[in-house]
Each structure stands twice: as structure tokens, then as C-alpha cells.
């Protein structure tokens, strides 16, 4: 089996990565950073996001596995003391593959070619200087609202536990092919009005965010931030591609939600 392994870069994650490499060599697994079948991230959910963006051009060929060197994560669901068990399972057990939906974003400009991005957690749209974002939100090519505020967040179901949650969005089970639009500090008064509630859109619905005021935008795709000039529209929809995770044991989404957000506070 050909594998690639990425570390968060801290000493604990690096040490665990080297231990895993030695163990995988014993199993005659071959390290191949160009064409791996399995991509292992060692660190946290953020490290898995980096692994996803490194191999997003090979989603059909790759299964991801996340090892967490801190607390248990949503994508990184193996702990350091379990890595031997994980490597034995990778070699001996039938690999169940769990697929999660992704977000496709196409950014259109006044001139030049559109650019396509994929996000595992979310994309956000803000201005690049902290000024109020004024943008029309179209759903299925029909104006839904004129948004004024800090920005908009468009998340995947598995990203719903990340930034989306902090914005008051709903938690969505990753078996649902959907995307969620949440507001980031919208301006609402007698003159300006937005819906105020998160919107959950199905796979066949596309939304367009069309900036009304000129000026550069700051867009994020997971942990990646970039400035974009002369944007005419940002098209978002559920991507045709999916990310695949290698699963060797049940780890239900709602249990992860419980363990991450409820259990620790009850236990302390
Ligand atoms: P970071 O700012 O270093 O960490 C963000 C935190 O989000 C980390 O604790 C990370 O977990 C956690 N996280 C990542 N994906 C998650 C998921 N799907 N469900 C639950 N928690 C998740 O940035 P980063 O590590 O590069 O991650 C980028 C992500 O940060 C973005 O995609 C966005 O979702 C999130 N973010 C959140 C807020 C907020 O909550 N106010 C603001 C900006 C960005 P680990 O510790 O396991 O890595």
C-alpha cells in the first residue's frame, strides 16, 4: 500500500509521524508523496484540512485518515496510543470508505478566467479591509436578499461543527448532500434587512454572491486566505467530488459532537 503522511509540525506530531513511518516500513508499506492511496495526517483537524488541500487533485484515488495529537477531533479521530492498531487495520482489515460532501466555489472576475476552489469545511466572503460587505445573494438565479455586514460563510456538513457553529449555524450530518449559508454580523435595522437565519441548501441549488460595492474581497477556503480584485460573482454549490475517509470502526457523527461539545464540560 502506498501512503503519504503529513505532520502538524510540532515536536509531538513529528515524533509520532516518525514512529508511524518505521512501523509502516515494517509492514512493507511504501511512502509515496506523489500518488498515495492513503493520506495520513498527524496533528489535528487543521492538519487534515492541509492534507485535503495537498491531495484535492487526487480525491478519486485517495482515502484520508486523521490522527490527533491533542484532543479527539472530527476528522482526526485516532489517538497516538492507537496508531499500531490503525496500521495493522490498514494492512489487514477490509477498508470501509466513508464519503463526505465538499463545497465547490467558482469565483468570476470582470476580466480573466474564473477560478474554481474546493473546501472541506467552508468558504467565507469578506472585504479585505474590514469595511462592510455589501453583496446581493441570489439563490437559483433569483435575488434572495441584499446582505450588509462583515461577511458570509458557506459551509459543508462536516464543516458545520467549525466556524459555522461559532456563527450560530446548525450542525448537519455529513451524510446529507447540502451546504449552509450563515451570516457574519449582518446589519439589521429599519432600513437594512437580511433573513437572519442560517439557510441550508440541497445539492441541486446554487447560490451566487455578487458584490455591490467595489474593492477587493478577502476569501477563505478552509485555512487558506487570499485577496481577490474585480470579482463579479462567487458561485457556491455542493461539489460533485467527495472526500473519502478510511474507516475501521464505527465513530458516529453525533457521538463526536457529544464528545467534543458536551461530554468534556459535563465531566469537569
Ligand atoms: P485554527 O484557527 O488554528 O483552528 C481552528 C480550530 O477549528 C481548531 O481547534 C481546529 O481543530 C478546529 N476545527 C477545524 N475543522 C473543524 C471541524 N470540521 N469541526 C470542528 N472543529 C474544527 O485554524 P485551522 O486549524 O487551520 O482550521 C481552519 C478552520 O478554522 C476553518 O476551516 C474554520 O472552520 C475554523 N475557524 C473557526 C473560527 C471560529 O470558530 N470562530 C474562526 C475562524 C476559522 P484542531 O485543533 O483539531 O486542528
Amino acid at each position: 500500500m502506498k501512503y503519504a503522511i503529513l505532520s502538524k509540525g510540532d515536536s509531538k506530531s513529528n515524533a509520532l509521524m516518525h514512529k508511524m513511518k518505521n512501523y509502516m516500513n515494517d509492514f512493507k508499506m511504501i511512502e509515496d508523496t506523489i500518488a498515495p492511496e492513503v493520506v495520513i495526517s498527524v496533528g489535528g483537524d487543521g492538519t487534515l484540512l492541509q492534507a485535503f488541500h495537498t491531495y484535492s487533485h487526487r480525491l478519486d484515488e485517495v482515502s484520508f485518515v486523521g490522527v490527533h495529537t491533542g484532543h479527539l477531533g472530527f476528522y482526526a479521530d485516532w489517538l497516538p496510543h492507537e496508531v499500531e492498531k490503525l496500521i495493522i487495520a490498514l494492512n489487514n482489515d477490509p477498508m470501509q470508505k466513508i464519503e463526505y460532501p465538499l463545497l465547490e466555489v467558482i469565483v468570476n472576475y470582470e476580466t480573466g478566467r474564473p477560478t474554481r476552489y474546493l473546501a472541506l469545511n467552508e468558504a467565507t466572503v469578506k472585504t479585505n479591509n474590514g469595511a462592510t460587505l455589501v453583496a446581493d445573494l441570489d439563490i437559483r438565479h433569483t435575488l434572495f436578499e441584499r446582505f450588509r455586514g462583515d461577511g458570509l460563510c458557506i459551509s459543508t456538513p462536516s464543516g458545520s461543527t467549525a466556524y459555522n457553529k461559532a456563527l450560530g449555524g446548525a450542525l448537519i450530518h455529513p451524510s446529507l448532500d447540502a451546504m449552509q449559508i450563515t451570516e457574519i454580523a449582518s446589519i439589521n435595522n429599519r432600513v437594512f434587512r437580511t433573513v437572519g437565519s442560517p439557510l441550508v441548501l440541497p445539492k441541486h441549488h446554487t447560490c451566487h454572491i455578487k458584490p455591490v460595492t467595489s474593492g477587493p474581497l478577502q476569501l477563505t477556503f478552509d485555512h487558506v486566505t487570499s485577496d481577490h480584485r474585480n470579482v463579479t460573482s462567487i458561485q457556491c454549490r455542493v461539489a460533485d467530488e467527495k472526500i473519502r475517509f478510511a474507516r475501521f470502526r464505527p465513530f458516529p457523527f453525533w457521538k463526536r459532537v457529544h464528545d467534543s461539545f458536551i461530554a468534556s464540560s459535563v465531566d469537569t
Side-chain angles (χ1 to χ4, degrees):
M1 180 183 285
K2 292 189 287 181
Y3 75 90
I5 187 163
L6 284 86
S7 162
K8 185 179 180 180
D10 60 297
S11 54
K12 189 176 175 185
S13 304
N14 286 345
L16 186 62
M17 178 179 73
H18 290 302
K19 180 182 163 182
M20 290 182 72
K21 278 190 184 190
N22 289 335
Y23 206 50
M24 288 191 283
N25 281 343
D26 293 346
F27 274 91
K28 308 276 183 268
M29 291 174 72
I30 300 159
E31 185 170 10
D32 184 340
T33 55
I34 307 294
E37 296 156 81
V38 173
V39 172
I40 303 167
S41 75
V42 182
D45 285 336
T47 322
L48 195 293
L49 291 176
Q50 289 177 22
F52 164 73
H53 283 272
T54 306
Y55 290 100
S56 60
H57 58 291
R58 300 194 77 250
L59 291 176
D60 280 347
E61 284 88 28
V62 163
S63 299
F64 290 84
V65 179
V67 179
H68 215 300
T69 48
H71 54 90
L72 211 58
F74 279 87
Y75 301 123
D77 53 5
W78 290 84
L79 289 169
H81 69 270
E82 299 176 311
V83 294
E84 281 91 352
K85 203 162 86 181
L86 167 63
I87 293 165
I88 291 168
L90 272 171
N91 283 279
N92 297 333
D93 294 359
M95 191 190 292
Q96 196 196 349
K97 293 175 181 174
I98 304 287
E99 293 187 334
Y100 282 3
L102 300 168
L103 177 73
E104 179 196 79
V105 180
I106 295 174
V107 185
N108 296 295
Y109 305 91
E110 280 168 20
T111 53
R113 286 167 51 172
T115 326
R116 182 178 187 265
Y117 299 87
L118 288 177
L120 174 55
N121 268 354
E122 77 285 291
T124 65
V125 181
K126 298 178 183 176
T127 61
N128 83 332
N129 59 3
T132 298
L133 171 74
V134 184
D136 285 339
L137 173 63
D138 289 8
I139 298 177
R140 303 190 90 186
H141 300 288
T142 303
L143 178 64
F144 180 77
E145 66 182 16
R146 176 158 289 185
F147 175 88
R148 287 180 180 81
D150 282 3
L152 289 164
C153 171
I154 304 93
S155 62
T156 64
S158 61
S160 68
T161 50
Y163 194 13
N164 167 77
K165 184 175 186 298
L167 298 170
L171 302 189
I172 297 189
H173 196 282
S175 62
L176 298 172
D177 278 332
M179 65 178 178
Q180 182 170 190
I181 306 171
T182 41
E183 300 179 350
I184 308 173
S186 59
I187 299 174
N188 267 289
N189 52 37
R190 285 194 301 178
V191 183
F192 303 132
R193 191 66 45 87
T194 62
V195 69
S197 301
L199 306 176
V200 179
L201 273 56
K203 185 170 171 121
H204 59 288
H205 286 193
T206 301
C207 81
H208 289 84
I209 298 160
K210 298 177 176 168
V212 174
T213 43
S214 56
L217 296 179
Q218 185 181 78
L219 306 183
T220 68
F221 304 98
D222 301 330
H223 57 292
V224 183
T225 304
S226 49
D227 286 354
H228 297 247
R229 288 166 201 282
N230 306 318
V231 174
T232 52
S233 75
I234 299 153
Q235 175 187 311
C236 304
R237 68 179 196 101
V238 178
D240 291 332
E241 301 98 315
K242 290 195 166 193
I243 183 172
R244 262 191 227 133
F245 292 94
R247 268 290 141 72
F248 299 101
R249 58 182 182 190
F251 194 25
F253 177 72
W254 296 120
K255 176 160 171 48
R256 268 175 284 164
V257 171
H258 171 85
D259 290 354
S260 297
F261 298 117
I262 297 171
S264 53
S265 62
V266 171
D267 293 346
T268 52

